[in-house]
Amino acid sequence: MTSVSQVAAEYEVVIGLEVHSQLLTESKMFCACSAAYQDAPPNTTVCAVCLGLPGALPVMNRKAVDYVIRTGLALGCNISGFTKFDRKNYPYPDLMKGYQISQYDQPIAYGGRLEIETETGIKPIGVTRVHLEEDVAKLFHRTDEFGDNYSLLDINRAGVPLMEIVSEPDMRSPDEARSYLTQLQSILRYIGVSSANMEEGNFRCDANISVRPLGSPEFGAKVEIKNMNSFRSVHRALQHEAERQVRAVNEGEEIVQETRGWDESAGLTFTQRTKEYAHDYRYFPEPDLPPLVIEQGWVQDVLRVLPELPAARKQRFMHEYGLPEYDANLLTIVKATADYFESVVSLSEASGDALEQLAKQVSNWMLVELGRLLNETGREISEIKITPQGFVELLALVSEGTLSTSMAKTVFEEMFVSGKPPAEIAERQGLVQINDVDKLGNAVDEAIASNPKPVSEYLEGKEQAVRFLVGQVMRITRGKANPPMATQLLKERLDALRQSE
Ligand code: ADP
Ligand code: MG
Ligand code: ZN
């Protein structure tokens, strides 16, 4: 099979993404029904408006507009001062009214960009537009005991606010498309407008892809791929489709503009329908809604509550805390992680090198130990029981030598479960490192007395023999000895022995 990398020398892949993301409003887009359709029993969150009954009139959800403005600003878009809704007509049983209220030629936001990371550095991807529309009902296709097909309809989802974010055809590989989606998801979650979860179906991606001979100024005909339900399947589908198109072109076939479905288990795309054109939808302005005027004051209000975005925060983490890019990246993808990190670090009054050292320690503990515990328990960082205060105290216990690193890991695990302060846990579990010279001295004497062979080896000049003896001290103290201190004491006593010989 020809791989994309093999053909990259002759062909260029062109990708543009259309993402639909549900907005986290309490009520639906044009009625007062609850938008929380996921856990509601089928057909319980419905009314005359979202059922599409004749005579019912839509009322605009201001919060949804607010969220699209917020998204537009986060993506560096212009916000339209004047916008409107349009009817997009198409016959399909999941569409209660026979048309969807959407936005055609005057989206709320347009002309933005999203920066992604590629192997060669940061690359801006154009954001064509962000517009607002309504989600459709859900169909469940079934087969009865006689083998006849039928469909069940759950209307709860109909009318849930849906935002569409359309990119420019600026991506040049499946990897870039995946970076775009990851970055977009992170931003939408940061600004709190969507839970942006592809597996749960509230973040959906249609991927448009074409290939062209390298250096060609024109784009090839694009194919739109649908039905992917994870970032991984988007990547796989694009990879597969790029290869299919290159093979087809090489065999002299013409690529036709069409919509293809992705079959996850077969790992291939298949023709669904030849692509419809805008005129097929017979768009016209929605007569039941007034145009929407977005005053500058509204935009300013939204701008004021916009949080620092992940890319900016990552850069700040690198500058302010001296963190490596790798750490800064992992700590800032999820807002709650970055917030937690800063709530720990900000408890310290350290500055300069000391602050950077602390930041790196906190980062290590978060990315390694905490990351593992969250993974194992399937918990979210937002539910974490370890208080920032406890976190800092634990690090202090390690740096002052009260706890060894391995003891600290045990304490950390217990803190993760109970949220108790580290000193209390360490005491209850008897996990305090022996730093007391007298106490440690007894163990050192015992180790020397009961291991004459390594002792004489050391005395004869084999310095490494001390390592075995340190191991013995650790065994005698059941791991509680402070190893550098034990080493030092052992050497002092052995050297004294040597002199007295
Ligand atoms: P349509 O009207 O068919 O929806 P648009 O021009 O609105 O087409 O583009 C839809 C998406 O397809 C956008 O994300 C855009 O970037 C992408 N796109 C457009 N042309 C191409 C192409 N030749 N190859 C890949 N993607 C494309
Ligand atoms: Mg489109
Ligand atoms: Zn309703």
Side-chain angles (χ1 to χ4, degrees):
M1 199 193 275
T2 340
S3 81
V4 177
S5 47
Q6 269 171 280
V7 299
E10 303 151 57
Y11 288 96
E12 183 174 53
V13 177
V14 173
I15 298 169
L17 300 178
E18 293 165 283
V19 170
H20 284 93
S21 196
Q22 273 172 7
L23 297 172
L24 281 173
T25 55
E26 273 166 38
S27 57
K28 291 189 182 179
M29 187 60 228
F30 300 115
C31 61
C33 290
S34 164
Y37 69 94
Q38 296 272 23
D39 301 321
N43 300 312
T44 53
T45 57
V46 294
C47 71
V49 175
C50 55
L51 283 168
L53 299 183
L57 290 174
V59 177
M60 215 183 292
N61 182 336
R62 187 181 161 99
K63 193 84 201 170
V65 177
D66 204 83
Y67 281 178
V68 175
I69 298 175
R70 202 186 285 188
T71 305
L73 291 174
L75 297 174
C77 291
N78 303 296
I79 305 299
S80 303
F82 177 92
T83 175
K84 65 177 172 65
F85 287 91
D86 301 277
R87 281 191 186 180
K88 180 178 182 179
N89 301 278
Y90 63 95
Y92 199 68
D94 63 3
L95 202 56
M96 303 322 293
K97 301 187 291 292
Y99 59 83
Q100 179 189 32
I101 304 182
S102 180
Q103 296 192 287
Y104 181 45
D105 53 350
Q106 287 177 297
I108 294 176
Y110 60 94
R113 72 209 303 243
L114 192 155
E115 287 181 347
I116 62 165
E117 285 181 25
T118 68
E119 279 173 5
T120 52
I122 302 240
K123 173 176 170 177
I125 304 297
V127 172
T128 317
R129 56 188 281 156
V130 186
H131 74 247
L132 187 52
E133 56 190 36
E134 53 180 340
D135 210 342
V136 296
K138 247 177 160 170
L139 284 171
F140 298 89
H141 301 294
R142 299 278 160 82
T143 305
D144 69 15
E145 69 240 54
F146 308 108
D148 289 329
N149 296 327
Y150 65 100
S151 299
L152 296 172
L153 188 56
D154 178 5
I155 304 170
N156 286 350
R157 195 178 67 179
V160 168
L162 197 63
M163 162 172 76
E164 181 170 346
I165 301 161
V166 182
S167 89
E168 289 291 308
D170 287 347
M171 286 157 272
R172 293 291 174 270
S173 67
D175 281 0
E176 289 189 6
R178 186 172 48 199
S179 297
Y180 174 90
L181 290 174
T182 311
Q183 188 62 23
L184 181 60
Q185 178 186 57
S186 174
I187 291 173
L188 297 184
R189 289 177 172 174
Y190 253 74
I191 61 178
V193 299
S194 177
S195 51
N197 190 323
M198 231 176 153
E199 284 79 0
E200 284 171 11
N202 48 45
F203 186 87
R204 303 169 220 146
C205 171
D206 299 337
N208 300 272
I209 174 168
S210 61
V211 296
R212 63 175 169 183
L214 206 69
S216 155
E218 281 139 39
F219 288 145
K222 77 174 150 80
V223 164
E224 180 175 355
I225 323 172
K226 288 182 180 290
N227 304 344
M228 292 81 78
N229 53 17
S230 67
F231 288 176
R232 186 169 164 269
S233 22
V234 174
H235 191 269
R236 280 182 74 203
L238 286 170
Q239 187 83 14
H240 167 85
E241 181 60 19
E243 287 163 11
R244 188 193 70 82
Q245 288 186 17
V246 166
R247 216 163 29 241
V249 174
N250 275 336
E251 282 161 15
E253 228 178 90
E254 196 191 338
I255 304 287
V256 285
Q257 175 163 330
E258 62 174 344
T259 300
R260 297 176 73 89
W262 168 245
D263 182 332
E264 179 72 30
S265 49
L268 47 81
T269 63
F270 56 93
T271 298
Q272 272 190 329
R273 56 189 144 114
T274 50
K275 177 76 185 164
E276 56 284 276
Y277 293 89
H279 60 252
D280 294 331
Y281 293 124
R282 305 179 331 277
Y283 279 103
F284 64 89
E286 170 59 57
D288 290 341
L289 287 167
L292 173 61
V293 174
I294 303 174
E295 311 274 1
Q296 264 310 303
W298 189 356
V299 178
Q300 291 307 319
D301 286 347
V302 177
L303 203 52
R304 260 193 298 280
V305 297
L306 208 61
E308 183 182 28
L309 298 173
R313 202 164 192 191
K314 173 184 156 186
Q315 290 303 320
R316 184 168 63 76
F317 275 24
M318 291 166 67
H319 292 132
E320 197 170 325
Y321 305 118
L323 288 174
E325 178 171 6
Y326 177 83
D327 294 49
N329 187 42
L330 290 178
L331 289 173
T332 53
I333 295 171
V334 174
K335 184 169 180 293
T337 309
D339 288 347
Y340 187 76
F341 170 84
E342 292 213 278
S343 66
V344 175
V345 173
S346 67
L347 286 177
S348 154
E349 270 154 29
S351 60
D353 284 354
L355 175 64
E356 294 195 356
Q357 238 171 40
L358 173 78
K360 182 63 179 138
Q361 279 172 354
V362 175
S363 171
N364 289 347
W365 277 90
M366 282 184 67
L367 297 181
V368 183
E369 287 305 303
L370 183 57
R372 179 177 64 79
L373 292 168
L374 290 172
N375 246 335
E376 285 173 6
T377 56
R379 275 197 227 152
E380 301 285 333
I381 187 134
S382 50
E383 319 164 64
I384 190 173
K385 287 190 179 161
I386 302 176
T387 63
Q389 186 63 42
F391 204 121
V392 173
E393 281 167 17
L394 180 75
L395 295 182
L397 290 172
V398 176
S399 62
E400 75 196 24
T402 307
L403 291 180
S404 66
T405 307
S406 76
M407 287 171 178
K409 282 183 186 164
T410 310
V411 173
F412 193 79
E413 275 183 24
E414 173 67 30
M415 289 168 76
F416 183 80
V417 174
S418 70
K420 296 232 167 71
E424 188 186 318
I425 295 170
E427 197 181 311
R428 191 160 27 80
Q429 300 199 357
L431 282 174
V432 171
Q433 197 163 237
I434 303 177
N435 292 313
D436 185 312
V437 177
D438 292 339
K439 273 194 211 154
L440 205 52
N442 295 338
V444 165
D445 289 341
E446 190 184 330
I448 291 175
S450 45
N451 295 284
K453 193 158 170 267
V455 169
S456 56
E457 282 173 3
Y458 181 87
L459 296 179
E460 281 155 21
K462 199 175 156 206
E463 300 276 326
Q464 307 99 288
V466 79
R467 268 194 241 149
F468 175 82
L469 295 168
V470 172
Q472 292 308 299
V473 174
M474 296 307 286
R475 193 183 57 79
I476 294 163
T477 57
R478 278 192 233 97
K480 291 182 199 162
N482 174 335
M485 191 178 270
T487 311
Q488 201 199 334
L489 273 180
L490 273 166
K491 282 191 176 164
E492 278 171 24
R493 304 218 169 168
L494 291 169
D495 291 345
L497 271 180
R498 195 186 266 156
Q499 315 238 302
S500 66
E501 261 183 1

